[in-house]
Amino acid sequence: MSKTSTEESLRFIRQSLKSDEMDHLEGTHFDRLYPHVFITLGASGDLARKKIYPTLWWLFRDNLLPKTTTFFGYARTSMTVTQLRSKCHSYMKIKPGEEEKYEEFWKLNHYVAGTYDLQASFEMLDNELKKYEQGNQIAHRLFYLALPPSVFENVSMHIRNVCMGKRGWTRVIIEKPFGRDAITSQRLSDHLASLFKEEQIYRIDHYLGKEMVQNLMTLRFGNRIFSPTWNRDNVASVQITFKEPFGTQGRGGYFDEFGIIRDVMQNHLLQILSLVAMEKPASCHPDDIRNEKVKVLKSMKPLNLEDVVLGQYVGDPESQDTEARMSYLDDPTVPPGSNTPTFALAVLRINNERWDGVPFILRCGKALNERKAEVRIQYQDVPGDIFDGKAKRNELVIRVQPGEALYIKMMTKSPGITFDMEETELDLTYGYRYKNLKLPDAYERLILDVFCGSQMHFVRSDELSEAWRIFTPLLHQIENEQIKPLPYKYGSRGPKEADEMATLNNFAYYGSYKWIKP
């Protein structure tokens, strides 16, 4: 059969399918033949102007979207596209020579004001969308719910009832938090499952779009050198860290609703853990990968309070920085006497043949000494030591941010006449190895994945359920018993008790390693 006749046959099959079934034909590409409409619900909010609109502009600028894409914003705020553009402008990062393309992008934008609870508002939105789909037999719709969880149920129901693509697929992107605990998360999952098929739902965790997180698959399963040592016989401990050098910056009221465990650990860090620890999938198909991630989570017991250190930052009175002198409770938006942790360290264990006995240490916090997100796989001490205890442990470090890098810490003889030893590294720093390459933003990758219909880097409902199973008992205990977090100074490493717990769980911190820029 000729290429032309094959394309015609495929087009005929697509046209004869119901819109809900068309997702099965999408996977690693998008269909350039048909119009796509990207609708941002909550277009007047922070997420939309800081992340979503800039991302859509960058994808459009780089010609990565279907040529027939139109953009709609929807929110309660009454405003024009010109006003929306003004709100977004400072985040768009327009380079010299891109002005004409930028104008072209905004000409494809439209805005509709309406409520989130009335079906009539969504009927009005649907009528506007149809104006840009007329004359085309098939048109695809992507809805991004950049909204507070309180309106998820109403909005998703109205999308299902009146805004689905009539002769094309419809996909819905859900932004975290996906509930507050196992019960609320399951209620949301059940609600979405009653409206959409799983392949239509994209639960976005932007950490899964980061370069080094995506690189974990290749690193693990594309290199013979690492695979034989990736187990309990060789690995002493694994530490996954997320650190921010600033506090709540006046947004403590929002943060206080969730705390550091819900905000970072239960989602970002646990997702990274599952990629580090999973077995090799049968293929690179999204469901094969997510099946293995779920198996890892199912092998973990719920967290106990004795395996956790909680902290809350206090001001450093000696700091020259005004913000650093403020404690978490000094933020006027934080409720007085709040026990919400701004730091947490948790030790998780995986009860399977590969990882039995290896502690996985998750560590995250605000107002710490540096900005960093990394995975640190620490190997066992060398058996039969002949160097009088001078040798330090090897480590494989995957730095997610800032400055993507992969390096192996190892011992080598100090150059010169003596027989001393020192720590050094085998280093792959992306900024030097790939000097002129611009790495895409995490949201760029993930939104493009939704256009292509690839769910590899999105959270499936059973993954979410298992993640909440692990953390819900701990979160309820912290709240019910009003567990008071330990104080730690703004700009420090966190509570000293966290370092002590890491040491007890076979993680050796030396503090002597000096990384030298290439």
Side-chain angles (χ1 to χ4, degrees):
M1 188 181 285
S2 71
K3 183 180 178 185
T4 304
S5 59
T6 302
E7 288 176 349
E8 287 173 354
S9 297
L10 182 57
R11 194 174 303 129
F12 175 79
I13 293 167
R14 285 181 169 179
Q15 288 172 353
S16 63
L17 285 171
K18 294 177 183 177
S19 60
D20 278 2
E21 293 170 343
M22 292 190 63
D23 266 307
H24 297 294
L25 291 174
E26 304 298 320
T28 57
H29 67 287
F30 47 67
D31 197 331
R32 294 179 179 273
L33 295 173
Y34 303 114
H36 292 66
V37 185
F38 191 100
I39 306 102
T40 303
L41 298 155
S44 61
D46 270 6
L47 179 64
R49 74 169 183 264
K50 290 179 180 177
K51 287 290 182 186
I52 300 172
Y53 276 98
T55 298
L56 293 172
W57 152 239
W58 299 331
L59 291 170
F60 177 82
R61 176 198 64 194
D62 296 337
N63 299 313
L64 293 172
L65 297 179
K67 297 290 184 189
T68 51
T69 302
T70 306
F71 309 98
F72 270 81
Y74 180 92
R76 287 179 291 219
T77 306
S78 179
M79 63 177 172
T80 64
V81 172
T82 303
Q83 290 170 318
L84 175 63
R85 171 177 173 166
S86 179
K87 289 181 76 167
C88 299
H89 186 75
S90 60
Y91 302 100
M92 304 296 266
K93 299 180 184 175
I94 308 142
K95 296 174 185 172
E98 294 177 350
E99 293 83 2
E100 189 176 334
K101 189 92 174 176
Y102 190 60
E103 293 300 323
E104 190 183 334
F105 169 73
W106 282 108
K107 284 176 184 172
L108 293 168
N109 272 270
H110 310 275
Y111 183 83
V112 176
T115 65
Y116 296 130
D117 54 349
L118 295 177
Q119 182 166 310
S121 294
F122 285 83
E123 289 170 351
M124 178 178 64
L125 172 63
D126 185 57
N127 288 333
E128 289 298 313
L129 298 179
K130 285 176 184 173
K131 291 179 185 177
Y132 298 90
E133 299 172 345
Q134 279 182 358
N136 295 285
Q137 292 183 315
I138 293 175
H140 306 311
R141 295 182 180 183
L142 299 83
F143 291 87
Y144 197 126
L145 273 62
L147 298 164
S150 57
V151 298
F152 273 10
E153 291 193 11
N154 271 340
V155 169
S156 54
M157 182 179 64
H158 293 319
I159 291 171
R160 173 75 253 187
N161 289 342
V162 297
C163 286
M164 298 292 282
K166 304 304 180 281
R167 296 208 61 192
W169 48 250
T170 299
R171 294 173 186 157
V172 180
I173 307 171
I174 309 288
E175 183 72 41
K176 78 174 184 75
F178 312 119
R180 285 183 54 83
D181 55 18
I183 294 171
T184 55
S185 175
Q186 191 59 51
R187 187 164 63 229
L188 176 60
S189 289
D190 291 345
H191 172 77
L192 292 172
S194 72
L195 303 174
F196 309 105
K197 295 181 179 181
E198 182 65 28
E199 59 263 27
Q200 294 175 299
I201 303 168
Y202 290 74
R203 297 172 190 84
I204 194 166
D205 181 338
H206 76 275
Y207 253 67
L208 291 177
K210 290 188 175 288
E211 177 70 30
M212 297 311 291
V213 175
Q214 296 201 343
N215 195 21
L216 279 166
M217 280 277 295
T218 306
L219 178 69
R220 282 206 54 195
F221 305 120
N223 293 289
R224 176 68 178 165
I225 191 171
F226 298 122
S227 187
T229 64
W230 212 273
N231 53 49
R232 62 191 172 92
D233 296 326
N234 297 283
V235 175
S237 59
V238 178
Q239 183 165 272
I240 303 172
T241 303
F242 174 94
K243 298 166 83 172
E244 289 180 332
F246 49 84
T248 52
Q249 299 181 323
R251 295 184 71 244
Y254 170 80
F255 177 84
D256 202 78
E257 287 184 53
F258 303 101
I260 199 70
I261 295 175
R262 288 186 177 95
D263 196 41
V264 176
M265 186 178 284
Q266 182 270 344
N267 38 70
H268 301 334
L269 300 194
L270 196 64
Q271 283 290 323
I272 294 173
L273 181 153
S274 63
L275 287 167
V276 170
M278 73 182 191
E279 298 298 318
K280 183 187 283 189
S283 74
C284 286
H285 186 277
D287 275 336
D288 286 339
I289 293 166
R290 296 193 294 181
N291 287 344
E292 295 303 331
K293 288 168 68 182
V294 169
K295 286 180 189 175
V296 171
L297 298 176
K298 283 185 172 179
S299 300
M300 298 164 69
K301 292 180 180 176
L303 264 172
N304 293 315
L305 190 59
E306 54 265 31
D307 294 321
V308 176
V309 173
L310 304 174
Q312 189 185 91
Y313 69 86
V314 296
D316 178 3
E318 297 175 8
S319 175
Q320 302 300 309
D321 181 6
T322 305
E323 189 189 345
R325 292 199 295 269
M326 292 178 61
S327 73
Y328 176 69
L329 296 177
D330 288 332
D331 183 332
T333 65
V334 171
S338 170
N339 283 332
T340 298
T342 60
F343 173 96
L345 178 142
V347 181
L348 291 155
R349 298 182 187 276
I350 300 169
N351 184 30
N352 66 16
E353 188 174 1
R354 181 182 294 275
W355 296 114
D356 188 23
V358 177
F360 282 75
I361 304 163
L362 306 186
R363 184 180 189 128
C364 54
K366 300 179 96 55
L368 296 174
N369 60 330
E370 60 186 331
R371 175 176 177 255
K372 182 169 74 174
E374 68 176 20
V375 180
R376 191 170 291 264
I377 296 161
Q378 192 168 93
Y379 285 83
Q380 302 277 12
D381 295 316
V382 175
D385 177 32
I386 60 172
F387 298 108
D388 300 323
K390 293 176 185 173
K392 292 165 184 172
R393 288 179 173 177
N394 298 139
E395 288 183 348
L396 171 61
V397 182
I398 302 143
R399 192 166 65 225
V400 177
Q401 67 181 31
E404 293 85 351
L406 171 69
Y407 61 94
I408 299 171
K409 282 172 59 177
M410 55 183 286
M411 301 305 299
T412 185
K413 176 189 170 297
S414 301
I417 201 165
T418 65
F419 199 65
D420 293 333
M421 57 172 28
E422 64 178 39
E423 295 167 282
T424 187
E425 70 285 319
L426 296 173
D427 179 31
L428 167 59
T429 298
Y430 275 48
Y432 295 97
R433 177 66 176 82
Y434 305 108
K435 204 168 255 182
N436 299 315
L437 184 69
K438 177 200 169 287
L439 293 174
D441 178 82
Y443 276 92
E444 284 183 83
R445 296 174 194 273
L446 296 176
I447 287 179
L448 189 57
D449 278 348
V450 182
F451 273 92
C452 295
S454 173
Q455 293 185 306
M456 182 185 297
H457 306 298
F458 293 84
V459 182
R460 202 168 64 187
S461 60
D462 52 350
E463 280 185 81
L464 188 59
S465 175
E466 290 299 324
W468 280 119
R469 176 188 62 79
I470 293 164
F471 279 93
T472 293
L474 171 72
L475 290 165
H476 284 179
Q477 186 178 359
I478 290 169
E479 288 160 2
N480 294 338
E481 298 179 16
Q482 287 289 296
I483 304 297
K484 195 167 177 61
L486 299 164
Y488 66 94
K489 192 181 287 187
Y490 194 117
S492 68
R493 282 175 48 80
K496 68 180 190 309
E497 290 85 352
D499 285 335
E500 290 166 2
M501 181 168 282
T503 302
L504 285 172
N505 285 279
N506 209 11
F507 181 80
Y509 175 70
Y510 301 104
S512 58
Y513 174 70
K514 299 286 187 291
W515 185 74
I516 300 170
K517 274 191 175 183

